[in-house]
Amino acid sequence: MDRPQLLHELDVALDHPLTLLVAQAGSGKSVLVSQWVESHPEVCFAWMDVVGADGDATVFGAHLIDALVESSPACGDIAAIVLGAGTPFGRAFVTALVPKLSATAQIVIVLEDLHHLSEPALLAELGEAVALLPPNIHLLITSRSDSPVAWTGVRLRYEVPELRQAAFAMSYDESAQLVATITGRELDRASVATLLDRTEGWVAGIQMAAMTLRLRRDSTQFIAEFGGSDRLVADYLTGEVLGALPPGDRETLFELCALDYFSAELLSDLGLGERSSDLMGRLERQSLFLVPLRDSREWFRFHQLFRDLLRYRMRSEAPGTEARILEGAAAWHRAHGDEGIAVEYLLRAHDWESAIDVILDSAVEAIEAADVGSLARWLGALPADVLAERVDVQLLLGILTGMSGDAGLAENRLRAIADRPESTLFERACAQTFLSALVHWGHRPEVAIACAEQALASIERIGDAQRPSRLPGVDAMTTIAMLSLGRAHFLVGNFAQARHWLTAALATDGAGHSVWRIAVLGSLALLSAWCGRTGIADRYAEDALALARETNNWRHPSTAEAHLALALTAIERVEPGRAKAEYREGFARIAATGRRQLSWVAYAAICDVVDLAENDRLPGPPTGPSPPVVADRLLARQSRSLRLSGAPDSARRLSDRSGVTTTSVVFEEAAAELALGHPDAAREFVRHLSDLPDAAEPLGKARALILESWCSAAVGLDDRADGLLSEAMDIADRHGLVRVFLQAGTVVVRRVEHLADGLFHPTCLAVLAAAGDHPDASGELEPAGAFTGRELELIALLPTRLTNTELAARFVISVNTVKTHMAHIYRKLGVANRRDAIAKATQYGLIDRAATVLEASR
């Protein structure tokens, strides 16, 4: 097949005295040069196939003369001029040729397979000859090996075009075309890509695979298994490569091929340095499937097919070699901090106990970093009989399986240990703790509650001395169990219980570790934002993210809840742009760990964002059932959509089918009755609001007051309606709630507009601006909702003249974090210093508003 790009690159040979093609056997050098020759009929080509006998300078010269005479009739008398004098190839030989060659047309001398020429003196003469050739003569050399002695001087004098191994690797399209040409059928993209990966673009490898495929129907399975042990590949490599090596090199190759990567330092430590360094140099010069990994050329590997062949032969001819080399290399890599490579080698060597030691040494750090994929895979590779003897390894495997996203399998593994009569109290407590931690991955938060309670009860009865080495200790388990208990209570809608356990988790010793503290702060932020405590939510979220940045954990999955919390507070303040940005950050971290329950929380958030930004498209929902708290919110959203679109009767029937848990659904049931003109029926719903778990939360209180105001207005009690709505505004002012008024619809928004004429509430302007019924009256100052909870707390303290250090101590954050918040405050106020910030914040009533937020956060 044609390779136009390589042919184009080869055209430069006509402008240079020397061009080199150096690549491994079967790379397509000869085919390429043949095609290039055919593409230039205007040029004379003298083609010489170099063989071992050409090592004699006289024979080489005679062979070259024959090629020149055959290429051009004008060279007919060259033989008499040179050979008649018995001159061997060298300076005198070339000098005698130059006058005759200068008088001929353009000639390209092709020296094919120059690697057969090993005599240094003759190679040096050939290198010197390049400088003597006239401009119309070009030398093109193909070889499997490089000869630095021959070409060093030439490179110093001329630009030498070179095509090397990487240039000959076939592309995807070329591979697909070659396979289709040989087999007569086209393969699917995945099969071609796999074949290309296995062969690394090696032309001969792809050809041999295609030749075998002609006789096979199961192309997908064949390609997946294709390797150096395939008969055609093995025969080719054995004949072309291994057969040409000295006997002693085979043993060294068997030792090297056991390693995925190797360097001179590693090989020296394994006792292979002296033998292998010379062999590696020769292999690289001969392009024998040795691939440098970096520009520094310190680390190397073998081509996959060549490595597969070597391993296949090694395991049959030297069966003890692989384990010996792998165990030694594992020790070297472990000593140099490469635990991952060490484990891979130990598993291949079947040194199970040593592999387990390395895995357990990395376990706690991996769990905290949420980098568990490799550890889970390694443990899964252990034989069943080895696992059966190590409960600590079974525990770790269950933990890692859950964190990898397979909640069902993790639950089975951990429950088997928790229910096993022989398990120690610590093993049972550890299993129960991490069963409860599956709350974000599984779909049964009530089960997580039971597991967490059992874990805490067990932890009270044990001491850290009973802890198996290299597993999370009692402090960490206590924090994880309380964190999981708080998360589970949130997902079922038990907000007071959730707050209790999350606050308790924050006070544990285990929460002193940055990752667990970030997680607890994020969960508290999410709970607070869901309930409408936006100021507190911002504070928790910002503290979590500040700690994540300070400890270089800003991309850690534990920050997901903090980002979702900030998205929810932005939603309540009707800031869709900021909400969308925070949602993206949160969802990216959720998706990385497959936390299905938390992905439902994120889905509820993006639904609200789409409601605010009507042009956005809603992504599909997560798989599996949603947790109760999300199901409730989504039901309220669907009911509200029906009511606001003019179908309150349908909205009422939809809500009637719900098992109500929070005020959001009751609000919609009452609103549907009001939209239908049934204030008495609506009032019955309002009476039940106080019995719901979120009735005491800011959003619950605001919903109840808005409904009561609406009911009063519906029966003509305008003064009472205004008073109740003003109370709702007081709550909204303290907590930055805007969207709750918009969710009620036009009737409530109009009453807000009426209220704004007589009383000043910062939220009134935000509601009207968001509804599009009133111009933004905030002037140069950004709306109060644009300030985060922590920023409002700091604004309240601006007149106190507390220093940044004193402010940092008060809020238990770093001085750098205070400085960052102050910079954001100055930017939003449009000022350059603290004095001007106090003046402008006072002018717009922001100091009083901020003081309310500060008081509410205590």
Side-chain angles (χ1 to χ4, degrees):
M1 60 175 287
D2 291 335
R3 306 187 71 181
Q5 181 60 39
L6 288 182
L7 290 172
H8 175 71
E9 292 184 30
L10 202 52
D11 283 340
V12 300
L14 298 175
D15 299 320
H16 297 272
L18 173 66
T19 301
L20 297 174
L21 277 67
V22 182
Q24 62 202 12
S27 60
K29 301 183 298 295
S30 299
V31 173
L32 177 68
V33 176
S34 297
Q35 292 174 338
W36 184 64
V37 169
E38 292 177 4
S39 69
H40 289 281
E42 78 284 4
V43 178
C44 291
F45 288 91
W47 191 297
M48 173 178 166
D49 290 309
V50 179
V51 295
D54 290 320
D56 182 281
T58 301
V59 174
F60 181 86
H63 197 172
L64 176 60
I65 292 297
D66 289 342
L68 285 169
V69 170
E70 184 178 351
S71 70
S72 173
C75 297
D77 56 351
I78 287 182
I81 297 174
V82 179
L83 298 182
T87 307
F89 182 84
R91 176 177 289 272
F93 180 98
V94 177
T95 302
L97 282 180
V98 166
K100 189 64 179 177
L101 291 176
S102 299
T104 66
Q106 193 173 46
I107 298 177
V108 175
I109 301 172
V110 178
L111 299 182
E112 171 78 353
D113 289 341
L114 193 69
H115 52 271
H116 291 308
L117 204 65
S118 58
E119 285 70 16
L122 182 54
L123 286 170
E125 292 284 359
L126 185 60
E128 291 297 324
V130 174
L132 303 175
L133 294 175
N136 60 313
I137 305 300
H138 314 280
L139 189 61
L140 188 149
I141 292 174
T142 75
S143 178
R144 296 180 189 176
S145 62
D146 207 347
S147 178
V149 174
W151 315 129
T152 300
V154 181
R155 290 190 179 103
L156 291 175
R157 290 192 293 268
Y158 309 106
E159 177 184 354
V160 179
E162 300 183 45
L163 291 181
R164 293 191 169 270
Q165 194 163 310
F168 287 93
M170 301 195 80
S171 67
Y172 171 88
D173 289 337
E174 290 172 333
S175 302
Q177 181 184 346
L178 180 58
V179 171
T181 300
I182 295 174
T183 64
R185 67 180 191 269
E186 292 186 1
L187 299 183
D188 60 82
R189 292 189 63 85
S191 295
V192 175
T194 301
L195 181 60
L196 186 61
D197 178 67
R198 296 290 292 135
T199 61
E200 300 186 37
W202 181 41
V203 177
I206 297 172
Q207 287 177 319
M208 286 182 280
M211 290 167 63
T212 306
L213 273 173
R214 287 187 303 185
L215 308 175
R216 301 282 291 269
R217 292 186 178 182
D218 54 339
S219 58
T220 301
Q221 180 180 354
F222 167 75
I223 289 172
E225 298 172 353
F226 180 69
S229 58
D230 180 85
R231 183 180 60 80
L232 289 178
V233 177
D235 289 347
Y236 181 89
L237 291 176
T238 299
E240 291 289 327
V241 180
L242 292 183
L245 292 173
D249 288 349
R250 180 189 296 261
E251 179 183 346
T252 304
L253 283 175
F254 284 170
E255 292 173 316
L256 293 181
C257 76
L259 305 172
D260 294 334
Y261 315 101
F262 42 86
S263 67
E265 182 182 354
L266 169 59
L267 297 178
S268 175
D269 192 74
L270 295 176
L272 308 176
E274 186 174 344
R275 282 188 291 127
S276 60
S277 59
D278 176 63
L279 175 60
M280 286 171 59
R282 284 187 283 116
L283 290 177
E284 187 176 14
R285 287 193 301 273
Q286 296 169 18
S287 297
L288 284 184
F289 301 93
L290 191 68
V291 182
L293 296 186
R294 305 179 182 90
D295 291 340
S296 62
R297 309 184 75 81
E298 293 180 358
W299 285 88
F300 297 84
R301 67 171 176 84
F302 286 123
H303 186 289
Q304 292 185 67
L305 296 182
F306 187 51
R307 181 199 63 198
D308 290 349
L309 169 68
L310 291 173
R311 288 180 180 175
Y312 177 76
R313 300 292 292 270
M314 169 193 65
R315 287 163 184 162
S316 63
E317 298 178 28
T321 299
E322 185 170 21
R324 173 175 58 83
I325 295 297
L326 289 175
E327 288 173 356
W332 187 91
H333 280 288
R334 191 175 185 186
H336 287 76
D338 299 326
E339 285 81 3
I341 298 177
V343 174
E344 296 282 1
Y345 283 168
L346 291 170
L347 290 174
R348 277 174 38 200
H350 293 182
D351 188 349
W352 312 122
E353 292 302 318
S354 297
I356 288 172
D357 283 342
V358 182
I359 294 170
L360 289 177
D361 282 345
S362 309
V364 173
E365 183 179 350
I367 291 171
E368 292 174 352
D371 183 15
V372 300
S374 294
L375 264 68
R377 177 171 55 81
W378 294 333
L379 290 177
L382 294 173
D385 58 332
V386 174
L387 273 176
E389 297 176 359
R390 297 290 298 266
V391 179
D392 56 342
V393 178
Q394 295 173 43
L395 268 172
L396 180 58
L397 182 57
I399 294 168
L400 299 177
T401 302
M403 295 181 69
S404 299
D406 193 341
L409 181 57
E411 184 172 352
N412 291 339
R413 285 172 169 166
L414 292 171
R415 194 165 293 285
I417 297 171
D419 297 341
R420 178 173 170 266
E422 300 88 346
S423 294
T424 66
L425 187 58
F426 185 96
E427 291 167 350
R428 193 170 293 112
C430 187
Q432 291 162 343
T433 296
F434 283 94
L435 277 169
S436 72
L438 294 174
V439 64
H440 271 179
W441 283 266
H443 57 269
R444 295 182 294 170
E446 65 279 1
V447 174
I449 291 174
C451 291
E453 290 173 344
Q454 293 169 0
L456 291 172
S458 297
I459 289 170
E460 287 184 358
R461 296 157 46 203
I462 62 177
D464 200 51
Q466 295 177 266
R467 167 195 178 192
S469 62
R470 299 172 292 190
L471 283 178
V474 166
D475 288 345
M477 285 164 51
T478 302
T479 304
I480 294 168
M482 289 183 174
L483 170 62
S484 302
L485 194 52
R487 287 171 166 174
H489 276 297
F490 163 67
L491 290 174
V492 298
N494 299 332
F495 302 119
Q497 284 280 69
R499 186 172 293 110
H500 166 78
W501 286 110
L502 292 175
T503 303
L506 193 61
T508 60
D509 291 339
H513 193 285
S514 60
V515 170
W516 304 127
R517 189 170 189 83
I518 291 167
V520 176
L521 287 169
S523 292
L524 278 166
L526 184 60
L527 168 66
S528 301
W530 194 273
C531 295
R533 299 175 183 265
T534 60
I536 297 176
D538 283 342
R539 184 187 71 189
Y540 282 134
E542 290 158 8
D543 287 352
L545 296 177
L547 180 58
R549 287 190 293 270
E550 290 173 8
T551 57
N552 200 30
N553 283 308
W554 62 279
R555 296 184 68 89
H556 194 279
S558 63
T559 62
E561 290 167 285
H563 285 294
L564 286 186
L566 292 176
L568 291 175
T569 62
I571 287 167
E572 294 303 332
R573 296 183 179 117
V574 193
E575 300 169 357
R578 188 166 73 92
K580 191 186 303 183
E582 295 293 350
Y583 161 80
R584 282 197 296 265
E585 292 290 333
F587 186 75
R589 289 155 177 77
I590 294 168
T593 50
R595 288 184 280 176
R596 184 169 52 197
Q597 294 292 76
L598 195 57
S599 67
W600 272 108
V601 177
Y603 179 72
I606 196 60
C607 285
D608 290 339
V609 173
V610 170
D611 289 346
L612 296 177
E614 296 179 357
N615 292 330
D616 286 354
R617 295 182 60 184
L618 184 65
T623 58
S626 63
V629 72
V630 174
D632 194 65
R633 189 171 182 128
L634 295 178
L635 177 63
R637 175 180 180 267
Q638 187 179 3
S639 179
R640 180 167 57 254
S641 177
L642 289 169
R643 172 174 60 82
L644 296 178
S645 64
D649 192 52
S650 297
R652 181 179 62 178
R653 288 197 299 271
L654 180 68
S655 299
D656 284 344
R657 297 197 298 270
S658 71
V660 177
T661 57
T662 68
T663 60
S664 58
V665 172
V666 176
F667 182 93
E668 287 306 324
E669 290 176 325
E673 294 291 357
L674 286 165
L676 290 167
H678 305 152
D680 291 338
R683 200 176 296 279
E684 287 299 315
F685 284 110
V686 174
R687 290 194 184 100
H688 296 299
L689 281 171
S690 60
D691 300 328
L692 298 176
D694 64 333
E697 304 294 343
L699 272 175
K701 291 179 179 178
R703 287 176 183 136
L705 289 167
I706 290 170
L707 283 175
E708 288 191 51
S709 171
W710 194 351
C711 288
S712 297
V715 295
L717 300 176
D718 290 340
D719 289 343
R720 174 174 167 75
D722 287 346
L724 291 167
L725 192 60
S726 182
E727 289 183 47
M729 280 290 171
D730 288 338
I731 295 173
D733 288 344
R734 290 197 298 273
H735 296 284
L737 305 178
V738 176
R739 182 168 173 261
V740 66
F741 296 95
L742 302 178
Q743 289 176 320
T746 305
V747 173
V748 172
V749 172
R750 287 175 180 168
R751 185 155 291 276
V752 169
E753 185 175 12
H754 168 72
L755 189 67
D757 292 335
L759 297 171
F760 174 73
H761 282 284
T763 305
C764 284
L765 299 180
V767 171
L768 297 176
D773 294 333
H774 194 282
D776 185 355
S778 62
E780 296 179 347
L781 183 64
E782 293 193 36
F787 293 92
T788 66
R790 178 67 81 202
E791 289 167 0
L792 288 171
E793 291 173 349
L794 290 170
I795 288 171
L797 295 174
L798 286 176
T800 65
R801 302 294 180 179
L802 290 172
T803 66
N804 287 344
T805 301
E806 291 167 334
L807 290 170
R810 178 172 182 136
F811 293 111
V812 197
I813 57 178
S814 70
V815 174
N816 286 338
T817 301
V818 172
K819 291 179 179 178
T820 299
H821 287 314
M822 286 296 189
H824 292 167
I825 291 169
Y826 292 172
R827 177 181 59 77
K828 293 178 180 180
L829 289 172
V831 298
N833 54 57
R834 188 167 184 168
R835 181 193 61 202
D836 292 343
I838 294 171
K840 199 159 191 180
T842 302
Q843 175 188 348
Y844 285 94
L846 196 56
I847 295 290
D848 293 337
R849 159 77 193 283
T852 303
V853 171
L854 180 63
E855 182 64 28
S857 67
R858 290 176 177 173

